[in-house]
Structure formats: structure tokens, C-alpha cells
Amino acid sequence: MKPIEIATLMLDKKALEIKIFDVRKITTLTDYFIICTSESDPQTKAIVNHIERTLKGNGMRPVSSEGLNNNEWVILDYIDIIIHIFSKEKREFYNLDRLWADAKIKTITEKNEN
């Protein structure tokens, strides 16, 4: 599945501030980070479940996941794509947007999702 398709899954559940970071030229950790903000625990669970179910249907399972117990920062690691779902407070605190600012970044909104 392409990063833009995963970002669209986030949009399906009304995630905010969705960004795709193409980090292929700056790290060997992964190819892409996809980051979004969730406004509540139920919304975080809905985003995670929607992504996991859809990707599982495409034969993809995360090699690891973290943060599912507190829903403030959930990480789904699909090796080539690492997905971060943050609460607003945790996203501001950890500021991965600034940390990976050297990446090629695509901001996803309903207006420019393609």
C-alpha cells in the first residue's frame, strides 16, 4: 500500500495534520513516516483499527506496535512505513515534524489528498 493510501485511511477517520515524510534519502530506518493528530482516545482507536484492518486485508501486518494502551502516541511499524498517531499534546511535545524537517514532506488535507 502506498503512503498516500494510508493517509487517506487517516482522513476517513477525521485525523488532523496528516503529513507524509519521505525519509529514504536521510535514514535507513524506514522509507516513510506518516504522522497524524487525533482529538480523542476513541478517535485514535478508530484510526488504528481502520488502518490495521485495511492493511491486513492487503496482506500487511505491523512487525510491531506501541502505545495502544494509552493512545497518546501509537506507533505501527510496517518496516517500509512507520505510522505515528499522536494526541495533540504529545505531537507538540515530541515535535517529530521538526526532527524530520529535512525529509520531503507532503501535507495531506481533504482538498489535496491526491
Side-chain angles (χ1 to χ4, degrees), residues 40-51:
S40 66
D41 283 359
Q43 183 183 22
T44 298
K45 289 176 187 172
I47 295 166
V48 169
N49 289 338
H50 189 48
I51 291 169

Side-chain angles (χ1 to χ4, degrees), residues 2-8 10 17-24 31-36 81-82 91 97 100 103-108 112-113:
K2 295 179 183 177
I4 190 73
E5 294 170 313
I6 294 170
T8 301
M10 293 172 165
E17 302 174 277
I18 303 167
K19 293 184 181 179
I20 299 170
F21 294 77
D22 182 342
V23 295
R24 292 176 289 186
D31 291 343
Y32 298 94
F33 288 118
I34 306 174
I35 300 175
C36 74
I81 299 172
I82 299 176
R91 183 158 182 180
D97 300 64
W100 295 104
K104 182 178 174 188
I105 303 168
K106 181 174 176 88
T107 300
I108 308 300
N112 73 352
E113 62 188 77

Side-chain angles (χ1 to χ4, degrees), residues 22-73:
D22 182 342
V23 295
R24 292 176 289 186
K25 293 185 179 180
I26 59 176
T27 186
T28 58
L29 290 173
T30 189
D31 291 343
Y32 298 94
F33 288 118
I34 306 174
I35 300 175
C36 74
T37 301
S38 171
E39 296 184 288
S40 66
D41 283 359
Q43 183 183 22
T44 298
K45 289 176 187 172
I47 295 166
V48 169
N49 289 338
H50 189 48
I51 291 169
E52 286 186 323
R53 268 186 264 149
T54 303
L55 270 58
K56 184 178 177 183
N58 286 293
M60 298 173 66
R61 294 177 188 265
V63 293
S64 70
S65 57
E66 296 180 33
L68 296 169
N69 293 333
N70 64 25
N71 292 317
E72 292 182 337
W73 180 5

